[in-house]
Amino acid sequence: MIFTTYWFFVFVGIVFPIYWLLPWRQARLAVLLVACVVFHAHFAGAAGVVPIVVLAIATYVAGRSGRPGWCLAAILACVGALGVYKYAGFLVQSLVGLFDPHLAAQCVLWIKHVLPAAPPLAISFFTFEFVHYLYDVRKGRMRIENPADFALFAIFFPSLVAGPIKRCGDFLPSLHRGVASVGAEDVAAGLGRVAIGFGKKVVISDNLAQIINYYGPHFTEQPLGTRWLLFAAIAFRILLDFSGYSDIAIGLARMFGITLSENFRWPYLAKNLPEFWQRWHISLSTWIRDYIYIPLGGSRHGVTRKIINGFIVFALCGLWHGAAWNFILWGVFHGAGLAICGNYRQLLGRFGANAGMFFDRCPPLSWVITTVYVWLGWLLFFYPMPQAWKMATSLFSR
Amino acid sequence: MKYPSPIAVCVGVVVGFATCCVLGQLTTRKNIYQDFARLHPFLEQETSYYPTASQLVAVAHGQCPPASHKTLVVLGGNSVFNGSGQKRDELWSRALQEDLGDHYHVVNFSAPGAGAVDNGGVIFECLAREYPTALFVTNTEPGYYPAANRSAYSYLFWDAYCKGLLSHDARRTARLEREKATSDDADFKLSRELNSVCYFNDLWTYVSYRYVSTFWTSWLRGRSFQPRHRLRDWYDKRPKVVADESEFQKMLPDHLEALRHRRPVAADRFAQNSNGAWVQTAESLQQDEEHIADLLPDPLQRRSLIVFTPYNPWFLAHLTEAERTRAEISYANGTHLLEKAGFHVLSTYDSGFSPSDFGDTVHLSPAGGRLLAKLVADSIRSMDTASNIPAGR
């Protein structure tokens, strides 16, 4: 975890006072840009920096030109790079493997030989931010003229590793406000948020991870109450780990006077699945809504199309989290949940309408069902399907 | 809400941080460990607890002040010297203290899985200048001589090294420079460098010991967050070691296999000559010699006694003739190489231990611990404690 390295502490300890105490706007901008470059180069290495620089240049040039064709080409380049670096092995294994497992194994070996051992640092985040920018340029909504602005949008270090996924329409005004007028209240609020993030991540989530690693392999052998406690531990571990990371990113940005969008709003308080996705990894779910779901047609072409779009979107959302079937399955699981949640009132006629009314009048029950459903999803997310199934069924049997 | 001025915030953060650094440093001034007898699992890294070099030095200072003019005996080594299986009252190092008498003070810094100079060796080197008559006693197996920076307890070496507690050793400095180019633990070393200035590990270790621990560990489970000073020696609640043949018989398959892979016995360091006799290969002898030279800076070897770990003769009897021969050669060669480098050696192979002295292949029962204490005490008394201790860095 990059934010818990000593290098990072030293880095922030050097960069932040310089940035804060400099009275000139342009100088602050320059310090921030240099810091972002140093941060990215240190953690990504040459093999991780070069592809991102190439994609960034392509994105900037295409955006600057404003030509829809160039933007589309750059979008395809970004998505293609993500596909090659992150998913080539998985896709070849899954698709070619259906017909010739031996050939698939050879192809995977070749891919491992040709590509770096790990994809470039944060390539998923870069791709989503570049695609958002290019899409909006195509639609004529914006265009970044200044290369320094674009560079800072691309490699702003607090959000580089784990988001939130930025929108340049929000980020750039905030960046310019920040470099012009970062104040003590920003620093105090930012430091507080960073402290909360470290507390969530280091004090709670990392300890939960130890407990899960210790008891997890023997989940089904535990007493029923312990199984449910472990089930909750798995759910809170991912929430606190991820939201802790987001808190650190948002707090750090705030220390520099820059406001990043919120990524989590008490997601386990959601009373239905759509509400959960309005509270969980908000920057990702809104990105998917705006740049995949709505372009696919969203809910504009009838119930069937809406359900299909939902499944496609959430399968992709799962795949975004990692190149493995369990992530896709997790996405489809949520797609199914949303399809049921969003349509049962119409599809089940009177019974559906009554059930919906009952759930509306009994929010605790809706909350319990939603929470258990979401938490069951985490079993699919973390464990292979047979193990997840065994764990899930053991929760409902003595 | 009205926020203070930027300068006030800056000053507040700096003062708060500096206060923590000073508090961390203060924790190293005196011995924080009540009634310290050994680094049992609740006081070492197996339970994510990392006492720092300064804090262990303070243990020696607290128990045996330099002005007391006693001969300090610093124990290092692995679980055998740590008294694995022996309760606190049965600990072999207590028997050693009783045997040596009041002119000596024994302090046990051995730890499970440690190499010859981990922990104890590092602390001995830190103390060598202040205690010109101090002795270092450790155990290992022939052929296993990892330098303190290459072992499971390397954190302690780097802590002492970065704090400037170790003596200057040009050979070691050159070796560390060479190794730097190929090492991938830059962030770990940076943490040691930072700690040598800020003492955050020292502060955390102190807070964990006195007030609250912050790590869940499977060893402690529900008690993980209790302050460590409330936790008694882990071995005190373990079942009594029963040394009898029926127990050994149950252990035999696994332990014999493990014994066959131990360095003194394993075939990979040996070859058969034209007469069919086993000899240690020139390559492994040279490697052993090089590793021995990296153990301690000259002339601390002359104050150090290395005890070769005794093996349970019941298990040795189940080895093949060739395996026993290799073990004998290992012990003989190890003794020769260590003595050549200036160390004192106590080779315990075939030195009067009986099966009832053991709880398993190598770990000693309380009776075995008393026999070990007697052998070590005799060796200590006969050691030449010439001076020539190098100056501190």
Side-chain angles (χ1 to χ4, degrees):
Chain A
M1 179 188 174
I2 283 172
F3 288 155
T4 53
T5 60
Y6 290 92
W7 188 93
F8 182 73
F9 276 90
V10 174
F11 168 79
V12 173
I14 293 169
V15 170
F16 175 68
I18 297 173
Y19 174 89
W20 200 37
L21 296 173
L22 278 175
W24 309 287
R25 187 182 162 282
Q26 290 301 330
R28 278 184 180 158
L29 211 56
V31 166
L32 192 55
L33 185 56
V34 170
C36 292
V37 170
V38 170
F39 177 93
H40 189 210
H42 177 79
F43 285 110
V49 166
V50 170
I52 301 304
V53 168
V54 171
L55 291 177
I57 291 171
T59 302
Y60 175 70
V61 170
R64 181 84 189 264
S65 77
R67 295 183 189 174
W70 286 33
C71 291
L72 183 62
I75 287 174
L76 292 175
C78 291
V79 175
L82 177 65
V84 169
Y85 278 111
K86 194 166 169 181
Y87 300 109
F90 170 71
L91 291 175
V92 166
Q93 181 83 59
S94 304
L95 299 177
V96 181
L98 284 176
F99 307 102
D100 188 342
H102 179 68
L103 179 65
Q106 282 190 322
C107 291
V108 170
L109 268 181
W110 179 78
I111 288 166
K112 279 184 180 165
H113 178 69
V114 173
L115 292 178
L121 177 72
I123 190 166
S124 309
F125 287 97
F126 282 116
T127 303
F128 273 34
E129 291 184 350
F130 291 168
V131 168
H132 131 72
Y133 170 64
L134 292 162
Y135 185 92
D136 282 8
V137 171
R138 261 188 109 218
K139 293 280 179 190
R141 293 176 193 150
M142 67 173 66
R143 195 188 303 177
I144 302 175
E145 301 287 340
N146 186 339
D149 282 356
F150 181 79
L152 276 167
F153 167 65
I155 56 167
F156 182 60
F157 79 87
S159 65
L160 193 146
V161 186
I165 299 165
K166 303 186 296 296
R167 302 289 182 97
C168 54
D170 301 328
F171 175 75
L172 290 180
S174 180
L175 169 73
H176 288 289
R177 260 198 317 276
V179 293
S181 61
V182 58
E185 64 275 22
D186 291 313
V187 179
L191 276 173
R193 191 71 184 264
V194 168
I196 289 169
F198 273 107
K200 282 181 179 178
K201 162 73 188 153
V202 180
V203 181
I204 308 178
S205 170
D206 286 355
N207 277 318
L208 287 177
Q210 294 287 329
I211 293 169
I212 293 161
N213 289 342
Y214 181 71
Y215 289 108
H218 313 286
F219 185 93
T220 53
E221 297 152 31
Q222 304 298 325
L224 188 63
T226 311
R227 272 177 256 160
W228 276 90
L229 283 176
L230 274 173
F231 184 51
I234 291 166
F236 276 97
R237 185 248 160 147
I238 187 168
L239 169 67
L240 295 171
D241 192 89
F242 199 0
S243 71
Y245 226 116
S246 288
D247 285 334
I248 297 169
I250 291 167
L252 274 170
R254 184 71 195 274
M255 285 167 66
F256 287 82
I258 298 158
T259 306
L260 294 180
S261 62
E262 288 298 330
N263 224 10
F264 292 87
R265 280 200 195 97
W266 302 92
Y268 292 158
L269 294 183
K271 289 186 287 298
N272 54 55
L273 225 40
E275 191 190 346
F276 170 78
W277 280 102
Q278 285 160 16
R279 292 166 172 267
W280 178 272
H281 203 173
I282 300 162
S283 65
L284 174 69
S285 54
T286 51
W287 190 98
I288 287 174
R289 180 197 66 201
D290 294 346
Y291 299 104
I292 304 181
Y293 184 68
I294 291 174
L296 279 174
S299 57
R300 297 191 300 274
H301 304 287
V303 174
T304 312
R305 180 78 181 272
K306 180 184 161 188
I307 291 172
I308 291 170
N309 287 343
F311 273 105
I312 293 171
V313 157
F314 274 92
L316 288 173
C317 172
L319 191 61
W320 181 85
H321 285 83
W325 280 108
N326 59 316
F327 294 118
I328 298 177
L329 210 58
W330 170 78
V332 170
F333 179 78
H334 272 273
L338 282 161
I340 294 166
C341 199
N343 301 295
Y344 74 94
R345 288 172 203 249
Q346 297 99 302
L347 296 180
L348 297 181
R350 200 168 162 190
F351 173 74
N354 286 339
M357 215 146 57
F358 177 70
F359 286 130
D360 290 342
R361 285 180 187 169
C362 190
L365 183 64
S366 314
W367 173 78
V368 168
I369 293 171
T370 306
T371 302
V372 171
Y373 192 86
V374 168
W375 290 10
L376 285 171
W378 296 130
L379 298 182
L380 289 172
F381 191 88
F382 285 113
Y383 300 97
M385 177 62 194
Q387 194 184 344
W389 176 253
K390 214 171 147 190
M391 291 165 82
T393 51
S394 78
L395 290 166
F396 302 98
S397 57
R398 281 234 154 247
Chain B
M1 184 177 169
K2 194 174 182 305
Y3 286 94
S5 74
I7 296 301
V9 173
C10 252
V11 170
V13 169
V14 170
V15 168
F17 186 73
T19 306
C20 287
C21 296
V22 171
L23 288 175
Q25 198 167 19
L26 287 176
T27 67
T28 66
R29 293 283 167 88
K30 63 176 189 175
N31 178 13
I32 61 169
Y33 299 104
Q34 305 157 352
D35 202 15
F36 179 89
R38 65 174 152 187
L39 293 168
H40 61 83
F42 299 155
L43 286 187
E44 48 102 355
Q45 64 181 14
E46 256 174 301
T47 55
S48 299
Y49 185 82
Y50 298 84
T52 66
S54 328
Q55 287 168 335
L56 295 185
V57 164
V59 170
H61 282 157
Q63 292 193 351
C64 176
S68 68
H69 301 299
K70 288 183 179 181
T71 298
L72 180 66
V73 178
V74 179
L75 298 183
N78 59 28
S79 53
V80 175
F81 264 35
N82 192 241
S84 173
Q86 298 161 11
K87 296 183 191 305
R88 189 182 161 89
D89 297 338
E90 307 163 339
L91 195 55
W92 83 277
S93 48
R94 292 212 160 183
L96 176 65
Q97 176 68 71
E98 283 166 21
D99 204 323
L100 287 172
D102 286 345
H103 291 300
Y104 292 86
H105 183 85
V106 178
V107 57
N108 190 342
F109 292 131
S110 58
V117 292
D118 295 353
N119 283 8
V122 170
I123 303 305
F124 168 65
E125 195 184 330
C126 296
L127 295 165
R129 193 175 52 158
E130 271 182 292
Y131 294 82
T133 59
L135 301 172
F136 174 52
V137 184
T138 187
N139 79 302
T140 191
E141 291 181 327
Y144 186 58
Y145 314 110
N149 70 305
R150 295 189 196 127
S151 69
Y153 292 85
S154 60
Y155 89 90
L156 196 81
F157 168 83
W158 286 108
D159 189 57
Y161 183 80
C162 294
K163 284 175 176 165
L165 299 173
L166 299 180
S167 53
H168 175 69
D169 178 21
R171 178 189 160 89
R172 175 169 58 202
T173 308
R175 177 169 60 80
L176 295 178
E177 274 304 312
R178 282 198 307 276
E179 289 174 4
K180 202 173 170 182
T182 54
S183 74
D184 56 356
D185 52 359
D187 201 58
F188 165 72
K189 286 177 191 160
L190 177 62
S191 78
R192 299 299 87 202
E193 293 283 359
L194 290 173
N195 188 55
S196 70
V197 180
C198 306
Y199 287 80
F200 46 81
N201 279 133
D202 300 80
L203 182 61
W204 179 85
T205 308
Y206 175 75
V207 170
S208 298
Y209 185 76
R210 292 296 320 162
Y211 304 108
V212 61
S213 187
T214 54
F215 278 120
W216 187 90
T217 135
S218 58
W219 283 73
L220 290 163
R221 299 185 205 173
R223 294 183 297 158
S224 292
F225 303 111
Q226 282 188 13
R228 297 295 172 105
H229 78 90
R230 282 206 206 144
L231 305 170
R232 284 188 59 82
D233 192 320
W234 186 73
Y235 291 107
D236 282 358
K237 287 194 174 173
R238 304 296 296 166
K240 201 170 177 63
V241 172
V242 182
D244 65 35
E245 281 200 21
S246 62
E247 288 296 318
F248 295 156
Q249 199 71 48
K250 285 182 214 160
M251 297 174 191
L252 186 61
D254 291 344
H255 282 237
L256 191 60
E257 189 58 23
L259 184 58
R260 288 192 161 122
H261 286 92
R262 285 186 179 272
R263 276 168 203 250
V265 182
D268 58 354
R269 302 169 69 241
F270 292 86
Q272 283 177 294
N273 65 15
S274 52
N275 301 326
W278 286 100
V279 288
Q280 194 176 340
T281 62
E283 195 183 18
S284 87
L285 279 169
Q286 191 191 340
Q287 195 182 52
D288 285 356
E289 199 163 6
E290 283 168 12
H291 288 179
I292 286 169
D294 290 338
L295 286 178
L296 283 174
D298 196 36
L300 296 183
Q301 300 93 329
R302 274 171 264 159
R303 300 185 172 285
S304 305
L305 169 67
I306 295 188
V307 180
F308 280 145
T309 308
Y311 286 156
N312 185 337
W314 190 89
F315 286 92
L316 284 179
H318 285 80
L319 293 176
T320 63
E321 187 62 39
E323 287 164 341
R324 276 199 298 273
T325 305
R326 291 201 294 267
E328 282 166 26
I329 295 168
S330 283
Y331 276 77
N333 287 349
T335 304
H336 170 69
L337 290 177
L338 284 165
E339 284 179 345
K340 196 172 135 191
F343 288 96
H344 297 262
V345 182
L346 172 59
S347 178
T348 54
Y349 191 79
D350 208 12
S351 60
F353 284 92
S354 67
S356 63
D357 292 326
F358 290 85
D360 57 23
T361 328
V362 291
H363 297 111
L364 295 164
S365 63
R370 286 193 293 276
L371 176 55
L372 176 70
K374 186 180 179 321
L375 292 171
V376 171
D378 290 344
S379 297
I380 286 174
R381 279 190 282 263
S382 68
M383 273 171 76
D384 170 21
T385 56
S387 53
N388 296 329
I389 304 299
R393 231 173 18 135

